[in-house]
Amino acid sequence: MNLRKWEYFLKVAEFGNLSRVAEKLDISQPALSRQIAALEQEIGTSLFHRTGRGLTLTPAGEVFRARAEAILEEIARVPGEVTHAANTPSGRLAFGAPPFMGRVLTGELVATYVETYPHVRLRVRGAHSFQLREAIFFRDIDIGILAAPLTEPDLHTEPLLTEQLYLVGPLDSGLSTDQPISIDRVADCPLILTPRPDGLRTLIEGEFARIGRRAKIAVETEYAPMDDLIRRKVGYAIMPYCGMVNSPLTRFSWAPIEGLWVTWLIATLDNTERTLAARRFIDMLHSSARDNIQAGRWTARYLGQISEPPR
């Protein structure tokens, strides 16, 4: 049906006078009469009683007016609802980051995102870079924070930040945050490293190879038992600054390693359109990292660019 006929009908039902309605709608009275007659023909019944004093609704006309008003009001809301849906993140989103980032980034980021975008069902995973890389390929997560260097043609990456790496050792090891230690001296230490092909492990071994040294591996392990292993003097760990924030590792001695920095990248699957939920999350990820650095909660150098905030 032509909805304009419905609108004409409602105006006639309101005023009960064809000439008055035709004047308000800026059409001729005969044209308005034809529109009303055509609507009655489509409906299959008379909608008006025609009297010398004007037009009044028939019982069928009363029913049609109530339904037409409700339907037209519903239709009028559609553009606004569509616009709202287009600008309101929803659906599912999965994000992954190294577990030690939870103390300085992930927890705050996730809490803010969930509060801001309650229609998104967010899932968070903490894992090594190589595990997160595979998770992106298998579409188990949508966004991951990975350590550079990263040469994956099927991934889209953008720089987030770069931060110092530290050697962490027993309390009596003589390490100090005020006294940087050379990579050559680090190579002399028995090391507690994450398994290959973790991004930090790859970075560290690459730097050792650059100076013609090889890592002395005391033990390969996940992050969880590192503090206990250091306490037992099994070896030394190499951690980024974010891994030291609010960490048991700060109970030990630690020192910055000269020239050894890790760059963190935001990674997504290449040639895949980012959902609105993902775009908003990445914007918030940039903002959170930058704000933490500016506030001094994260000793790092911000590398990214933040897009204009959503309106």
Side-chain angles (χ1 to χ4, degrees), residues 149-189:
L150 187 66
T151 55
E152 295 285 356
D154 294 325
L155 287 183
H156 172 80
T157 62
E158 55 188 88
L160 179 62
L161 58 87
T162 184
E163 62 177 336
Q164 180 83 57
L165 288 178
Y166 290 80
L167 184 68
V168 187
L171 280 173
D172 59 0
S173 61
L175 298 175
S176 171
T177 56
D178 299 327
Q179 297 178 351
I181 185 172
S182 69
I183 297 177
D184 195 54
R185 281 188 58 196
V186 173
D188 292 331
C189 299

Side-chain angles (χ1 to χ4, degrees), residues 275-289:
T275 64
L276 180 60
R279 295 198 303 271
R280 292 287 186 267
F281 188 90
I282 290 172
D283 288 343
M284 194 173 286
L285 175 53
H286 277 286
S287 297
S288 183

Side-chain angles (χ1 to χ4, degrees), residues 211-227:
I211 63 171
R213 300 290 301 274
R214 295 184 64 181
K216 295 170 62 176
I217 308 297
V219 65
E220 293 182 327
T221 182
E222 305 295 335
Y223 294 109
M226 278 188 175
D227 59 321

Side-chain angles (χ1 to χ4, degrees), residues 212-290:
R213 300 290 301 274
R214 295 184 64 181
K216 295 170 62 176
I217 308 297
V219 65
E220 293 182 327
T221 182
E222 305 295 335
Y223 294 109
M226 278 188 175
D227 59 321
D228 191 46
L229 294 175
I230 295 172
R231 181 179 63 82
R232 297 175 184 276
K233 299 186 178 183
V234 173
Y236 293 71
I238 297 177
M239 293 292 291
Y241 180 84
C242 66
M244 306 299 297
V245 177
N246 298 323
S247 165
L249 296 177
T250 55
R251 298 197 301 259
F252 303 108
S253 296
W254 46 300
I257 304 172
E258 291 177 345
L260 191 56
W261 293 66
V262 60
T263 296
W264 296 109
L265 309 172
I266 301 173
T268 56
L269 198 60
D270 201 15
N271 298 320
T272 301
E273 185 177 357
R274 292 178 178 176
T275 64
L276 180 60
R279 295 198 303 271
R280 292 287 186 267
F281 188 90
I282 290 172
D283 288 343
M284 194 173 286
L285 175 53
H286 277 286
S287 297
S288 183
R290 184 194 61 178

Side-chain angles (χ1 to χ4, degrees), residues 14-25:
E14 179 182 357
F15 292 100
N17 185 291
L18 285 173
S19 59
R20 187 178 175 188
V21 172
E23 182 180 352
K24 284 184 173 292
L25 297 177

